[in-house]
Amino acid sequence: MVHPLRKIVRVNPGLDNAVRSPYFTRTVDTVYEALLQQTGAFLDSPALSEITQRIGKADLDEDTEYLFTEADAREIRRAVEEHTEPLDSHLDEAVLLALFIWAYESGGQDFLTRHQIPVTFKLTNQEIIRGMEAYRDQLIVKLDETTKNFIADQIITGKQQGLGNEAIADAIRDKIPQTYEGRAENIVFTETSNMIGAAQQTTAVKNGASHKEWITVGDEAVDEDCLMNEGAGMIGINAAFPTGHQREPAHPRCRCTVEYTMMPTLGYYWAGG
């Protein structure tokens, strides 16, 4: 049964154009390579051998089955935390910032164009750029934690199966290309949507928008939370949507957009300065 709000498939023009950009592709490739290098460096380190020592199984044959405990799992997570190099030692942070600025400018320009405002959007506001730099640093920390959890989970699974260190390392190496390819694309897609949404919200508020409305793409893959936001209809510019969000994205890979209702202006427009 088709949900009553899923009437037609719409396109989010700002995001749709962004994912076709060389900026998007380059950033996906950069994040993917950094994730591979980070995990590869861990696997090339003495970490797995140290883990075997820590959990007290060094005196057993590598492929001998044994009772794996919660204490063993905790030791593995501590070892992974200690031996995993920070992502920023492999990631060109400038590429992420360039994507943020480009996506923000794309979002701001898309807003101005859709509202027939004949000016060019150029981000020169240093406060916003500094905020992007801080957000980038926070994002890298979160990505670090996700990578560490992934590595630890794989080692724990291998140890529970009684696999030796070499078999565990080979299993991780076999898994990470496809896993990290999808992960890198998801990260860049979501952060592109985030920057486009932030630019459109700020541009709307600074240019006197009074109301906003959540718009989904209208297909069967739309998240229920996004449908709930769309069902709220037009709300005040400072109000939150039912999920608590002020704007898109509501979740990773969110394809929604927020449309704004403009009030008459005094003849000047904020365009990134």
Side-chain angles (χ1 to χ4, degrees), residues 6-229:
R6 294 173 179 165
K7 297 176 182 179
I8 58 173
V9 176
R10 311 177 188 90
V11 173
N12 179 340
L15 186 57
D16 191 56
N17 291 332
V19 298
R20 295 189 175 96
S21 162
Y23 278 98
F24 185 90
T25 303
R26 181 178 68 156
T27 309
V28 170
D29 291 343
T30 299
V31 172
Y32 172 69
E33 290 298 330
L35 293 172
L36 285 181
Q37 291 170 15
Q38 182 185 33
T39 302
F42 173 86
L43 295 175
D44 291 338
S45 77
L48 283 171
S49 296
E50 182 177 313
I51 286 169
T52 300
Q53 296 288 339
R54 284 193 184 195
I55 63 179
K57 304 298 186 290
D59 56 336
L60 298 178
D61 292 335
E62 279 202 331
D63 293 319
T64 299
E65 293 187 9
Y66 53 83
L67 181 62
F68 190 86
T69 67
E70 286 299 318
D72 292 336
R74 289 193 295 271
E75 285 297 331
I76 287 172
R77 293 195 184 280
R78 277 194 285 267
V80 171
E81 177 71 30
E82 292 173 12
H83 285 279
T84 303
E85 297 175 356
L87 182 62
D88 58 13
S89 64
H90 301 281
L91 177 67
D92 185 352
E93 297 177 350
V95 174
L96 268 184
L97 184 61
L99 174 80
F100 288 176
I101 292 173
W102 176 83
Y104 198 97
E105 290 182 338
S106 296
Q109 188 62 59
D110 179 66
F111 176 91
L112 296 175
T113 300
R114 283 193 286 126
H115 289 276
Q116 299 181 334
I117 299 174
V119 295
T120 299
F121 191 98
K122 179 67 176 176
L123 181 61
T124 58
N125 187 298
Q126 292 304 305
E127 182 178 355
I128 292 176
I129 294 174
R130 285 193 296 271
M132 287 181 178
E133 291 171 338
Y135 178 79
R136 174 202 59 196
D137 295 342
Q138 293 169 1
L139 175 63
I140 291 173
V141 171
K142 291 179 181 178
L143 297 181
D144 262 335
E145 290 306 308
T146 302
T147 299
K148 291 171 186 175
N149 286 333
F150 169 79
I151 294 171
D153 288 344
Q154 300 306 306
I155 296 172
I156 289 169
T157 298
K159 290 297 183 183
Q160 287 172 332
Q161 295 171 348
L163 298 179
N165 293 339
E166 187 173 339
I168 290 173
D170 288 344
I172 294 174
R173 287 192 177 95
D174 287 344
K175 194 168 188 176
I176 57 177
Q178 183 174 358
T179 299
Y180 285 176
E181 183 178 7
R183 185 180 170 206
E185 205 273 342
N186 285 341
I187 291 165
V188 178
F189 185 100
T190 301
E191 296 309 326
T192 299
S193 173
N194 184 34
M195 289 298 156
I196 289 174
Q200 294 186 345
Q201 180 190 38
T202 302
T203 308
V205 170
K206 287 183 176 292
N207 287 315
S210 60
H211 291 79
K212 60 189 177 185
E213 183 177 11
W214 194 282
I215 305 295
T216 70
V217 297
D219 62 20
E220 291 297 324
V222 173
D223 186 271
E224 290 299 324
D225 282 350
C226 294
L227 285 171
M228 182 167 59
N229 286 344

